[in-house]
Amino acid sequence: MSEFWLISAPGDKENLQALERMNNVTSKSNLSHNTKFAIPDFKVGTLDSLVGLSDELGKLDTFAESLIKRTAQSVVEVMEDSKGKVHENLLANGVDLTSFVTHFEWDMAKYPAKQPLVSVVDTLAKQLAQIETDLKSRTAAYSVLKANLENLEKKSTGNLFTRTLSDIVSKDDFVLDSEYLITLLVIVPKSSYVQWQRTYESLSDMVVPRSTKLIAEDKEAGLFTVTLFRKVTEDFKVKAKENKFIVREFYYDEKEIKREREEMNRLLSDKKQQYGPLLRWLKVNFSEAFIAWIHIKALRVFVESVLRYGLPVNFQAVLLQPQKKSATKRLREVLNSVFRHLDEVAAASILDASVEIPGLQLSNQDYFPYVYFHIDLSLLD
């Protein structure tokens, strides 16, 4: 499973024994794989400041999670035809996300533990805000380019009634620069090819004999040329429509056709040039955002542990990876049983949800006797 539970308990003898019991039970029952989660000793400051940081870290946690989701989605959108290889590009410090989480080490160079906690949090917040700003600008520019290219490509992939004809017709298909003659393009249902060949010369006066030619087809119809005198154009259109032949409005403009082709080539070239740098940027900054997110989780454990268990700082954090989805309920019961002594009232209410305890408010049972945070990597699937 790509899910982790990050918990902490006081570091005294009784609770270290409780952690050992938890490890034994979860290991024997194959409920979870557990590893110690190392968190540095930070400068605590005042308890009032920790309460403020607790709220700020909660918001920053949500923001970081949203940011890595959006960055991962941008990788998916940019890679397009290579979506099967997306996860190969969603790494943290060059390793897969599970390995990074299970072997987490605090980055002292980026986030010095000797600084005040508020400074560490501020560094993380500014880093994530900058990534978001850059993500918006870079992906917006690429999205505009991609949309313009897709619009041009759509014009080349529709049916004969709607698609551009500039990549189908050629100069030789038309009588050009004539004062009297004009070449029209007519869409004829495939079932009416014989009828067209038999009747097109008589649909109006002054149609040039043997002037029709099939130049393109799709599943339903064919595109034919026909040459006639300009002055009978409207009469020919009416008669053609009566026979379910549709004259496609088109004027052959060599300069416009050349411009369209050049625009397509330019957009293809621009997209190709932007693809590599953008994908590299996304990979690097996904990694940075993910690493920051896990550091935020570590900070939340530290702050909540101090607020919950008090001073001096003495707690042990443990990372649990549930082995299967069906065992999470049992794993939760084991944890609540082992650590119920940390908060008898909350533990009792969780173990027996039918018991209402005056004065205790639980939001969807998200309060536990121990410090608990959730890390869900499936959000990136």
mmCIF file of all heavy atoms in Angstrom, residues 198-238:
data_model
loop_
_atom_site.group_PDB
_atom_site.id
_atom_site.type_symbol
_atom_site.label_atom_id
_atom_site.label_comp_id
_atom_site.label_asym_id
_atom_site.label_seq_id
_atom_site.Cartn_x
_atom_site.Cartn_y
_atom_site.Cartn_z
ATOM 1 N N ARG A 198 -22.845 11.504 -63.491
ATOM 2 C CA ARG A 198 -23.847 11.496 -64.571
ATOM 3 C C ARG A 198 -24.549 12.848 -64.733
ATOM 4 O O ARG A 198 -24.981 13.204 -65.826
ATOM 5 C CB ARG A 198 -24.883 10.404 -64.281
ATOM 6 C CG ARG A 198 -25.835 10.142 -65.437
ATOM 7 C CD ARG A 198 -26.717 8.928 -65.208
ATOM 8 N NE ARG A 198 -27.604 9.123 -64.056
ATOM 9 C CZ ARG A 198 -27.551 8.386 -62.950
ATOM 10 N NH1 ARG A 198 -26.664 7.404 -62.866
ATOM 11 N NH2 ARG A 198 -28.387 8.606 -61.955
ATOM 12 N N THR A 199 -24.638 13.628 -63.629
ATOM 13 C CA THR A 199 -25.499 14.820 -63.668
ATOM 14 C C THR A 199 -24.791 16.163 -63.489
ATOM 15 O O THR A 199 -25.404 17.205 -63.745
ATOM 16 C CB THR A 199 -26.586 14.714 -62.582
ATOM 17 O OG1 THR A 199 -25.953 14.693 -61.287
ATOM 18 C CG2 THR A 199 -27.431 13.467 -62.776
ATOM 19 N N TYR A 200 -23.549 16.193 -63.005
ATOM 20 C CA TYR A 200 -22.964 17.491 -62.622
ATOM 21 C C TYR A 200 -22.903 18.478 -63.782
ATOM 22 O O TYR A 200 -23.074 19.691 -63.608
ATOM 23 C CB TYR A 200 -21.575 17.307 -62.002
ATOM 24 C CG TYR A 200 -20.441 17.099 -62.991
ATOM 25 C CD1 TYR A 200 -19.718 18.170 -63.497
ATOM 26 C CD2 TYR A 200 -20.088 15.819 -63.418
ATOM 27 C CE1 TYR A 200 -18.678 17.983 -64.398
ATOM 28 C CE2 TYR A 200 -19.061 15.625 -64.306
ATOM 29 C CZ TYR A 200 -18.348 16.702 -64.799
ATOM 30 O OH TYR A 200 -17.322 16.519 -65.687
ATOM 31 N N GLU A 201 -22.687 17.992 -65.035
ATOM 32 C CA GLU A 201 -22.574 18.899 -66.179
ATOM 33 C C GLU A 201 -23.905 19.560 -66.513
ATOM 34 O O GLU A 201 -23.927 20.640 -67.129
ATOM 35 C CB GLU A 201 -22.046 18.140 -67.399
ATOM 36 C CG GLU A 201 -20.611 17.646 -67.235
ATOM 37 C CD GLU A 201 -20.125 16.858 -68.452
ATOM 38 O OE1 GLU A 201 -20.895 16.789 -69.440
ATOM 39 O OE2 GLU A 201 -19.009 16.319 -68.416
ATOM 40 N N SER A 202 -25.003 18.932 -66.097
ATOM 41 C CA SER A 202 -26.334 19.459 -66.442
ATOM 42 C C SER A 202 -27.029 20.152 -65.276
ATOM 43 O O SER A 202 -28.198 20.534 -65.393
ATOM 44 C CB SER A 202 -27.221 18.321 -66.958
ATOM 45 O OG SER A 202 -27.370 17.315 -65.958
ATOM 46 N N LEU A 203 -26.347 20.291 -64.130
ATOM 47 C CA LEU A 203 -26.972 20.955 -62.987
ATOM 48 C C LEU A 203 -27.214 22.433 -63.264
ATOM 49 O O LEU A 203 -28.094 23.055 -62.654
ATOM 50 C CB LEU A 203 -26.089 20.801 -61.733
ATOM 51 C CG LEU A 203 -26.020 19.398 -61.135
ATOM 52 C CD1 LEU A 203 -25.052 19.370 -59.948
ATOM 53 C CD2 LEU A 203 -27.404 18.939 -60.678
ATOM 54 N N SER A 204 -26.437 23.002 -64.177
ATOM 55 C CA SER A 204 -26.605 24.396 -64.552
ATOM 56 C C SER A 204 -26.005 24.594 -65.933
ATOM 57 O O SER A 204 -25.250 23.745 -66.423
ATOM 58 C CB SER A 204 -25.903 25.309 -63.534
ATOM 59 O OG SER A 204 -26.011 26.657 -63.916
ATOM 60 N N ASP A 205 -26.367 25.690 -66.548
ATOM 61 C CA ASP A 205 -25.722 26.020 -67.817
ATOM 62 C C ASP A 205 -24.261 26.386 -67.560
ATOM 63 O O ASP A 205 -23.872 26.754 -66.456
ATOM 64 C CB ASP A 205 -26.420 27.218 -68.474
ATOM 65 C CG ASP A 205 -27.850 26.891 -68.870
ATOM 66 O OD1 ASP A 205 -28.126 25.706 -69.126
ATOM 67 O OD2 ASP A 205 -28.674 27.832 -68.909
ATOM 68 N N MET A 206 -23.479 26.250 -68.577
ATOM 69 C CA MET A 206 -22.106 26.761 -68.577
ATOM 70 C C MET A 206 -21.182 26.055 -67.586
ATOM 71 O O MET A 206 -20.294 26.670 -66.998
ATOM 72 C CB MET A 206 -22.094 28.290 -68.342
ATOM 73 C CG MET A 206 -23.043 29.035 -69.267
ATOM 74 S SD MET A 206 -23.092 30.790 -68.987
ATOM 75 C CE MET A 206 -21.924 31.325 -70.216
ATOM 76 N N VAL A 207 -21.395 24.746 -67.378
ATOM 77 C CA VAL A 207 -20.464 23.924 -66.611
ATOM 78 C C VAL A 207 -19.454 23.326 -67.584
ATOM 79 O O VAL A 207 -19.843 22.796 -68.640
ATOM 80 C CB VAL A 207 -21.194 22.802 -65.847
ATOM 81 C CG1 VAL A 207 -20.192 21.887 -65.132
ATOM 82 C CG2 VAL A 207 -22.187 23.390 -64.860
ATOM 83 N N VAL A 208 -18.198 23.420 -67.260
ATOM 84 C CA VAL A 208 -17.158 22.911 -68.154
ATOM 85 C C VAL A 208 -17.213 21.381 -68.168
ATOM 86 O O VAL A 208 -17.122 20.746 -67.109
ATOM 87 C CB VAL A 208 -15.757 23.376 -67.705
ATOM 88 C CG1 VAL A 208 -14.667 22.773 -68.590
ATOM 89 C CG2 VAL A 208 -15.678 24.900 -67.710
ATOM 90 N N PRO A 209 -17.388 20.766 -69.345
ATOM 91 C CA PRO A 209 -17.463 19.302 -69.425
ATOM 92 C C PRO A 209 -16.173 18.640 -68.919
ATOM 93 O O PRO A 209 -15.081 19.171 -69.082
ATOM 94 C CB PRO A 209 -17.678 19.042 -70.921
ATOM 95 C CG PRO A 209 -18.224 20.336 -71.461
ATOM 96 C CD PRO A 209 -17.572 21.417 -70.639
ATOM 97 N N ARG A 210 -16.364 17.477 -68.344
ATOM 98 C CA ARG A 210 -15.252 16.645 -67.852
ATOM 99 C C ARG A 210 -14.284 17.439 -66.947
ATOM 100 O O ARG A 210 -13.087 17.198 -66.940
ATOM 101 C CB ARG A 210 -14.498 16.014 -69.029
ATOM 102 C CG ARG A 210 -15.339 15.037 -69.816
ATOM 103 C CD ARG A 210 -14.544 14.369 -70.923
ATOM 104 N NE ARG A 210 -14.055 15.315 -71.918
ATOM 105 C CZ ARG A 210 -14.783 15.828 -72.911
ATOM 106 N NH1 ARG A 210 -16.063 15.492 -73.031
ATOM 107 N NH2 ARG A 210 -14.261 16.666 -73.776
ATOM 108 N N SER A 211 -14.826 18.360 -66.166
ATOM 109 C CA SER A 211 -13.969 19.198 -65.297
ATOM 110 C C SER A 211 -13.939 18.717 -63.851
ATOM 111 O O SER A 211 -13.304 19.353 -63.012
ATOM 112 C CB SER A 211 -14.450 20.652 -65.323
ATOM 113 O OG SER A 211 -15.763 20.763 -64.781
ATOM 114 N N THR A 212 -14.632 17.620 -63.563
ATOM 115 C CA THR A 212 -14.674 17.165 -62.170
ATOM 116 C C THR A 212 -13.528 16.198 -61.879
ATOM 117 O O THR A 212 -13.087 15.439 -62.772
ATOM 118 C CB THR A 212 -16.024 16.510 -61.834
ATOM 119 O OG1 THR A 212 -16.116 16.357 -60.412
ATOM 120 C CG2 THR A 212 -16.168 15.137 -62.479
ATOM 121 N N LYS A 213 -13.087 16.227 -60.637
ATOM 122 C CA LYS A 213 -12.003 15.337 -60.196
ATOM 123 C C LYS A 213 -12.158 15.083 -58.695
ATOM 124 O O LYS A 213 -12.421 16.007 -57.921
ATOM 125 C CB LYS A 213 -10.641 15.975 -60.478
ATOM 126 C CG LYS A 213 -9.443 15.095 -60.049
ATOM 127 C CD LYS A 213 -8.122 15.732 -60.454
ATOM 128 C CE LYS A 213 -7.839 17.014 -59.691
ATOM 129 N NZ LYS A 213 -6.472 17.547 -59.941
ATOM 130 N N LEU A 214 -12.029 13.814 -58.289
ATOM 131 C CA LEU A 214 -12.071 13.464 -56.859
ATOM 132 C C LEU A 214 -10.693 13.737 -56.264
ATOM 133 O O LEU A 214 -9.692 13.168 -56.705
ATOM 134 C CB LEU A 214 -12.442 11.988 -56.687
ATOM 135 C CG LEU A 214 -12.423 11.452 -55.247
ATOM 136 C CD1 LEU A 214 -13.492 12.128 -54.394
ATOM 137 C CD2 LEU A 214 -12.632 9.925 -55.241
ATOM 138 N N ILE A 215 -10.653 14.609 -55.228
ATOM 139 C CA ILE A 215 -9.339 14.950 -54.657
ATOM 140 C C ILE A 215 -9.172 14.492 -53.207
ATOM 141 O O ILE A 215 -8.068 14.488 -52.680
ATOM 142 C CB ILE A 215 -9.060 16.460 -54.751
ATOM 143 C CG1 ILE A 215 -10.136 17.281 -54.038
ATOM 144 C CG2 ILE A 215 -8.938 16.888 -56.198
ATOM 145 C CD1 ILE A 215 -9.805 18.763 -53.993
ATOM 146 N N ALA A 216 -10.273 14.101 -52.544
ATOM 147 C CA ALA A 216 -10.153 13.637 -51.148
ATOM 148 C C ALA A 216 -11.420 12.878 -50.762
ATOM 149 O O ALA A 216 -12.496 13.091 -51.337
ATOM 150 C CB ALA A 216 -9.924 14.797 -50.189
ATOM 151 N N GLU A 217 -11.284 11.992 -49.750
ATOM 152 C CA GLU A 217 -12.425 11.231 -49.241
ATOM 153 C C GLU A 217 -12.333 11.096 -47.728
ATOM 154 O O GLU A 217 -11.232 11.108 -47.156
ATOM 155 C CB GLU A 217 -12.454 9.815 -49.847
ATOM 156 C CG GLU A 217 -12.867 9.731 -51.282
ATOM 157 C CD GLU A 217 -12.933 8.280 -51.760
ATOM 158 O OE1 GLU A 217 -11.878 7.609 -51.730
ATOM 159 O OE2 GLU A 217 -14.029 7.826 -52.136
ATOM 160 N N ASP A 218 -13.492 10.978 -47.082
ATOM 161 C CA ASP A 218 -13.526 10.502 -45.701
ATOM 162 C C ASP A 218 -14.482 9.314 -45.654
ATOM 163 O O ASP A 218 -14.778 8.730 -46.709
ATOM 164 C CB ASP A 218 -13.923 11.622 -44.728
ATOM 165 C CG ASP A 218 -15.306 12.194 -44.996
ATOM 166 O OD1 ASP A 218 -16.110 11.529 -45.686
ATOM 167 O OD2 ASP A 218 -15.609 13.300 -44.512
ATOM 168 N N LYS A 219 -14.985 8.938 -44.501
ATOM 169 C CA LYS A 219 -15.818 7.737 -44.396
ATOM 170 C C LYS A 219 -17.163 7.883 -45.097
ATOM 171 O O LYS A 219 -17.731 6.906 -45.573
ATOM 172 C CB LYS A 219 -16.052 7.398 -42.920
ATOM 173 C CG LYS A 219 -14.817 6.929 -42.182
ATOM 174 C CD LYS A 219 -15.133 6.597 -40.741
ATOM 175 C CE LYS A 219 -13.883 6.129 -40.004
ATOM 176 N NZ LYS A 219 -14.169 5.816 -38.580
ATOM 177 N N GLU A 220 -17.674 9.116 -45.138
ATOM 178 C CA GLU A 220 -19.022 9.311 -45.664
ATOM 179 C C GLU A 220 -19.080 9.909 -47.069
ATOM 180 O O GLU A 220 -20.052 9.691 -47.795
ATOM 181 C CB GLU A 220 -19.828 10.234 -44.732
ATOM 182 C CG GLU A 220 -20.285 9.611 -43.440
ATOM 183 C CD GLU A 220 -19.168 9.556 -42.404
ATOM 184 O OE1 GLU A 220 -18.338 10.483 -42.404
ATOM 185 O OE2 GLU A 220 -19.121 8.592 -41.624
ATOM 186 N N ALA A 221 -18.070 10.674 -47.428
ATOM 187 C CA ALA A 221 -18.210 11.440 -48.670
ATOM 188 C C ALA A 221 -16.881 11.650 -49.362
ATOM 189 O O ALA A 221 -15.815 11.320 -48.833
ATOM 190 C CB ALA A 221 -18.867 12.793 -48.365
ATOM 191 N N GLY A 222 -16.987 12.236 -50.574
ATOM 192 C CA GLY A 222 -15.802 12.591 -51.335
ATOM 193 C C GLY A 222 -15.839 14.061 -51.699
ATOM 194 O O GLY A 222 -16.907 14.675 -51.748
ATOM 195 N N LEU A 223 -14.658 14.637 -51.921
ATOM 196 C CA LEU A 223 -14.544 16.039 -52.289
ATOM 197 C C LEU A 223 -14.161 16.115 -53.771
ATOM 198 O O LEU A 223 -13.094 15.657 -54.169
ATOM 199 C CB LEU A 223 -13.480 16.730 -51.427
ATOM 200 C CG LEU A 223 -13.351 18.242 -51.594
ATOM 201 C CD1 LEU A 223 -14.587 18.946 -51.052
ATOM 202 C CD2 LEU A 223 -12.099 18.758 -50.872
ATOM 203 N N PHE A 224 -15.071 16.703 -54.565
ATOM 204 C CA PHE A 224 -14.865 16.808 -56.016
ATOM 205 C C PHE A 224 -14.668 18.267 -56.416
ATOM 206 O O PHE A 224 -15.234 19.173 -55.805
ATOM 207 C CB PHE A 224 -16.087 16.268 -56.770
ATOM 208 C CG PHE A 224 -16.218 14.775 -56.734
ATOM 209 C CD1 PHE A 224 -16.781 14.144 -55.628
ATOM 210 C CD2 PHE A 224 -15.797 13.990 -57.804
ATOM 211 C CE1 PHE A 224 -16.927 12.771 -55.588
ATOM 212 C CE2 PHE A 224 -15.946 12.614 -57.770
ATOM 213 C CZ PHE A 224 -16.500 11.992 -56.658
ATOM 214 N N THR A 225 -13.876 18.474 -57.446
ATOM 215 C CA THR A 225 -13.795 19.803 -58.064
ATOM 216 C C THR A 225 -14.748 19.836 -59.251
ATOM 217 O O THR A 225 -15.066 18.803 -59.848
ATOM 218 C CB THR A 225 -12.372 20.098 -58.568
ATOM 219 O OG1 THR A 225 -12.000 19.102 -59.539
ATOM 220 C CG2 THR A 225 -11.373 20.102 -57.429
ATOM 221 N N VAL A 226 -15.185 21.046 -59.581
ATOM 222 C CA VAL A 226 -15.959 21.260 -60.806
ATOM 223 C C VAL A 226 -15.721 22.696 -61.241
ATOM 224 O O VAL A 226 -15.678 23.612 -60.408
ATOM 225 C CB VAL A 226 -17.466 20.984 -60.602
ATOM 226 C CG1 VAL A 226 -18.067 21.904 -59.559
ATOM 227 C CG2 VAL A 226 -18.214 21.101 -61.922
ATOM 228 N N THR A 227 -15.537 22.900 -62.544
ATOM 229 C CA THR A 227 -15.270 24.246 -63.066
ATOM 230 C C THR A 227 -16.452 24.724 -63.900
ATOM 231 O O THR A 227 -17.012 23.951 -64.694
ATOM 232 C CB THR A 227 -13.981 24.248 -63.904
ATOM 233 O OG1 THR A 227 -12.892 23.800 -63.082
ATOM 234 C CG2 THR A 227 -13.669 25.645 -64.436
ATOM 235 N N LEU A 228 -16.817 25.981 -63.727
ATOM 236 C CA LEU A 228 -17.961 26.555 -64.426
ATOM 237 C C LEU A 228 -17.755 28.057 -64.592
ATOM 238 O O LEU A 228 -16.805 28.621 -64.032
ATOM 239 C CB LEU A 228 -19.256 26.265 -63.671
ATOM 240 C CG LEU A 228 -19.313 26.707 -62.206
ATOM 241 C CD1 LEU A 228 -20.720 27.159 -61.846
ATOM 242 C CD2 LEU A 228 -18.910 25.535 -61.289
ATOM 243 N N PHE A 229 -18.668 28.668 -65.299
ATOM 244 C CA PHE A 229 -18.591 30.125 -65.457
ATOM 245 C C PHE A 229 -19.060 30.790 -64.169
ATOM 246 O O PHE A 229 -20.023 30.355 -63.529
ATOM 247 C CB PHE A 229 -19.448 30.573 -66.643
ATOM 248 C CG PHE A 229 -18.746 30.416 -67.966
ATOM 249 C CD1 PHE A 229 -18.583 29.167 -68.551
ATOM 250 C CD2 PHE A 229 -18.227 31.527 -68.631
ATOM 251 C CE1 PHE A 229 -17.916 29.023 -69.757
ATOM 252 C CE2 PHE A 229 -17.573 31.393 -69.846
ATOM 253 C CZ PHE A 229 -17.406 30.143 -70.411
ATOM 254 N N ARG A 230 -18.397 31.870 -63.808
ATOM 255 C CA ARG A 230 -18.683 32.552 -62.548
ATOM 256 C C ARG A 230 -20.143 32.983 -62.444
ATOM 257 O O ARG A 230 -20.745 32.917 -61.371
ATOM 258 C CB ARG A 230 -17.791 33.788 -62.402
ATOM 259 C CG ARG A 230 -16.329 33.496 -62.134
ATOM 260 C CD ARG A 230 -15.520 34.775 -61.986
ATOM 261 N NE ARG A 230 -14.126 34.500 -61.738
ATOM 262 C CZ ARG A 230 -13.601 34.258 -60.526
ATOM 263 N NH1 ARG A 230 -14.393 34.275 -59.460
ATOM 264 N NH2 ARG A 230 -12.316 34.010 -60.386
ATOM 265 N N LYS A 231 -20.738 33.423 -63.533
ATOM 266 C CA LYS A 231 -22.067 34.007 -63.465
ATOM 267 C C LYS A 231 -23.161 32.994 -63.155
ATOM 268 O O LYS A 231 -24.284 33.386 -62.810
ATOM 269 C CB LYS A 231 -22.382 34.758 -64.751
ATOM 270 C CG LYS A 231 -22.472 33.897 -66.003
ATOM 271 C CD LYS A 231 -22.765 34.797 -67.200
ATOM 272 C CE LYS A 231 -22.912 33.999 -68.502
ATOM 273 N NZ LYS A 231 -23.216 34.892 -69.647
ATOM 274 N N VAL A 232 -22.845 31.684 -63.253
ATOM 275 C CA VAL A 232 -23.877 30.674 -62.928
ATOM 276 C C VAL A 232 -23.595 30.011 -61.583
ATOM 277 O O VAL A 232 -24.198 28.995 -61.240
ATOM 278 C CB VAL A 232 -23.974 29.598 -64.035
ATOM 279 C CG1 VAL A 232 -24.388 30.231 -65.347
ATOM 280 C CG2 VAL A 232 -22.654 28.831 -64.175
ATOM 281 N N THR A 233 -22.658 30.564 -60.818
ATOM 282 C CA THR A 233 -22.252 29.950 -59.540
ATOM 283 C C THR A 233 -23.427 29.741 -58.601
ATOM 284 O O THR A 233 -23.626 28.633 -58.058
ATOM 285 C CB THR A 233 -21.181 30.816 -58.844
ATOM 286 O OG1 THR A 233 -20.037 30.917 -59.675
ATOM 287 C CG2 THR A 233 -20.781 30.188 -57.509
ATOM 288 N N GLU A 234 -24.241 30.785 -58.371
ATOM 289 C CA GLU A 234 -25.343 30.672 -57.422
ATOM 290 C C GLU A 234 -26.386 29.678 -57.885
ATOM 291 O O GLU A 234 -26.935 28.904 -57.090
ATOM 292 C CB GLU A 234 -25.973 32.043 -57.171
ATOM 293 C CG GLU A 234 -25.052 33.039 -56.488
ATOM 294 C CD GLU A 234 -24.507 32.485 -55.185
ATOM 295 O OE1 GLU A 234 -25.273 31.869 -54.410
ATOM 296 O OE2 GLU A 234 -23.288 32.656 -54.935
ATOM 297 N N ASP A 235 -26.668 29.670 -59.179
ATOM 298 C CA ASP A 235 -27.642 28.707 -59.724
ATOM 299 C C ASP A 235 -27.134 27.287 -59.552
ATOM 300 O O ASP A 235 -27.879 26.379 -59.171
ATOM 301 C CB ASP A 235 -27.884 29.018 -61.208
ATOM 302 C CG ASP A 235 -28.878 28.048 -61.829
ATOM 303 O OD1 ASP A 235 -30.015 27.977 -61.321
ATOM 304 O OD2 ASP A 235 -28.513 27.360 -62.807
ATOM 305 N N PHE A 236 -25.828 27.089 -59.777
ATOM 306 C CA PHE A 236 -25.248 25.756 -59.617
ATOM 307 C C PHE A 236 -25.349 25.288 -58.163
ATOM 308 O O PHE A 236 -25.675 24.128 -57.899
ATOM 309 C CB PHE A 236 -23.791 25.763 -60.074
ATOM 310 C CG PHE A 236 -23.128 24.412 -59.993
ATOM 311 C CD1 PHE A 236 -23.205 23.527 -61.065
ATOM 312 C CD2 PHE A 236 -22.452 24.009 -58.849
ATOM 313 C CE1 PHE A 236 -22.611 22.267 -60.992
ATOM 314 C CE2 PHE A 236 -21.867 22.762 -58.766
ATOM 315 C CZ PHE A 236 -21.935 21.884 -59.842
ATOM 316 N N LYS A 237 -25.081 26.192 -57.220
ATOM 317 C CA LYS A 237 -25.152 25.830 -55.796
ATOM 318 C C LYS A 237 -26.549 25.364 -55.408
ATOM 319 O O LYS A 237 -26.710 24.385 -54.677
ATOM 320 C CB LYS A 237 -24.737 27.023 -54.923
ATOM 321 C CG LYS A 237 -23.256 27.354 -54.966
ATOM 322 C CD LYS A 237 -22.958 28.558 -54.069
ATOM 323 C CE LYS A 237 -21.482 28.904 -54.080
ATOM 324 N NZ LYS A 237 -21.180 30.087 -53.230
ATOM 325 N N VAL A 238 -27.565 26.094 -55.906
ATOM 326 C CA VAL A 238 -28.956 25.734 -55.577
ATOM 327 C C VAL A 238 -29.299 24.364 -56.146
ATOM 328 O O VAL A 238 -29.855 23.500 -55.449
ATOM 329 C CB VAL A 238 -29.921 26.808 -56.118
ATOM 330 C CG1 VAL A 238 -31.373 26.336 -55.977
ATOM 331 C CG2 VAL A 238 -29.717 28.125 -55.386
#
